[in-house]
Amino acid sequence: GAVVSQHPSRVICKSGTSVKIECRSLDFQATTMFWYRQFPKKSLMLMATSNEGSKATYEQGVEKDKFLINHASLTLSTLTVTSAHPEDSSFYICSAIAGAYEQYFGPGTRLTVT
Amino acid sequence: AQSVTQLDSQVPVFEEAPVELRCNYSSSVSVYLFWYVQYPNQGLQLLLKYLSGSTLVKGINGFEAEFNKSQTSFHLRKPSVHISDTAEYFCAVSGMDTGRRALTFGSGTRLQVQP
């Protein structure tokens, strides 16, 4: 089956610094990737849709200047959390579309901002 | 817009007993339906999906779900659970429109299998 990887799996950073999270589709090309955020014991909330070669589409309430998304190739999308604060601590999960409708999820990245 | 409701936040069950996890959805357009499982600190794994055709779909690990259009439900079932089935289960929908394939998730159901 299709495999999606994320790096890093865990990251701890200091308040005010920026963190980059990578999402890769390993054995297929993905023109569309999604970024979700999951709070403890909560469901996944869509943050943005990442389209290869064009600007990301952000959901209402998500600050595009804080959560920078770049989809530079058909196998890589990156999410950069700029000037991170403790409230940005969360589990970030990406997914990629394979085929017409099926999404494959990465293993997630646990971000802790101290 | 779509929404998904999972009425049960937690479902405790004894090993080898049957289980049903409930999912209801609402949408103004036709949707695809999915069930995902999430183990602690991991991403989501697809259990099964309904796209079209037979309303009873079978997935991995012995799970199955039935799509009921009139009741807008997609309940997940397993006839005999194992300890290893303990996890969080999410029901999700996506629009059939290729321009809107992001998933809308329910709040999740924690399945706790007891020995």
Side-chain angles (χ1 to χ4, degrees):
Chain A
V3 178
V4 176
S5 70
Q6 276 184 249
H7 178 79
S9 58
R10 290 176 178 270
V11 58
I12 301 173
C13 71
K14 292 186 177 181
S15 185
T17 62
S18 296
V19 175
K20 180 185 285 188
I21 302 170
E22 293 185 348
C23 176
R24 294 182 184 271
S25 56
L26 296 185
D27 50 0
F28 65 101
Q29 294 182 331
T31 56
T32 302
M33 292 183 174
F34 300 98
W35 287 95
Y36 296 85
R37 182 174 179 176
Q38 185 178 31
F39 292 97
K41 301 186 185 301
K42 297 289 186 182
S43 187
L44 282 77
M45 300 299 295
L46 179 67
M47 297 176 65
T49 301
S50 173
N51 298 298
E52 187 269 337
S54 64
K55 291 183 179 180
T57 303
Y58 291 82
E59 295 299 299
Q60 190 173 7
V62 178
E63 299 176 59
K64 62 181 180 180
D65 294 331
K66 180 168 187 61
F67 298 100
L68 300 179
I69 291 173
N70 186 297
H71 195 153
S73 77
L74 288 171
T75 59
L76 174 64
S77 176
T78 60
L79 168 68
T80 301
V81 183
T82 63
S83 187
H85 292 285
E87 57 265 30
D88 298 324
S89 297
S90 193
F91 196 52
Y92 293 88
I93 303 177
C94 72
S95 71
I97 294 278
Y101 39 73
E102 194 158 326
Q103 287 191 36
Y104 291 90
F105 286 82
T109 296
R110 173 75 60 193
L111 170 63
T112 303
V113 185
T114 60
Chain B
Q2 296 113 28
S3 68
V4 179
T5 302
Q6 292 180 246
L7 291 172
D8 306 305
S9 60
Q10 293 189 65
V11 173
V13 63
F14 288 107
E15 192 174 17
E16 298 184 3
V19 70
E20 178 179 80
L21 305 184
R22 295 181 293 169
C23 172
N24 289 88
Y25 71 94
S26 67
S27 176
S28 57
V29 299
S30 296
V31 295
Y32 298 128
L33 295 150
F34 306 84
W35 274 99
Y36 287 88
V37 61
Q38 185 180 34
Y39 298 100
N41 294 311
Q42 294 186 28
L44 277 69
Q45 180 181 10
L46 179 67
L47 277 177
L48 48 78
K49 59 183 182 287
Y50 174 79
L51 306 176
S52 65
S54 173
T55 57
L56 182 64
V57 292
K58 293 187 183 298
I60 62 172
N61 301 341
F63 285 94
E64 63 180 31
E66 185 157 19
F67 170 55
N68 188 317
K69 188 173 182 178
S70 63
Q71 296 186 6
T72 60
S73 68
F74 190 54
H75 300 332
L76 180 70
R77 294 191 291 260
K78 186 170 183 178
S80 176
V81 295
H82 302 289
I83 296 288
S84 60
D85 292 323
T86 295
E88 191 83 21
Y89 292 79
F90 292 98
C91 181
V93 302
S94 74
M96 290 185 178
D97 178 1
T98 55
R100 187 61 189 172
R101 292 177 296 177
L103 290 167
T104 299
F105 287 88
S107 55
T109 298
R110 171 76 176 168
L111 176 62
Q112 182 69 45
V113 182
Q114 303 165 350

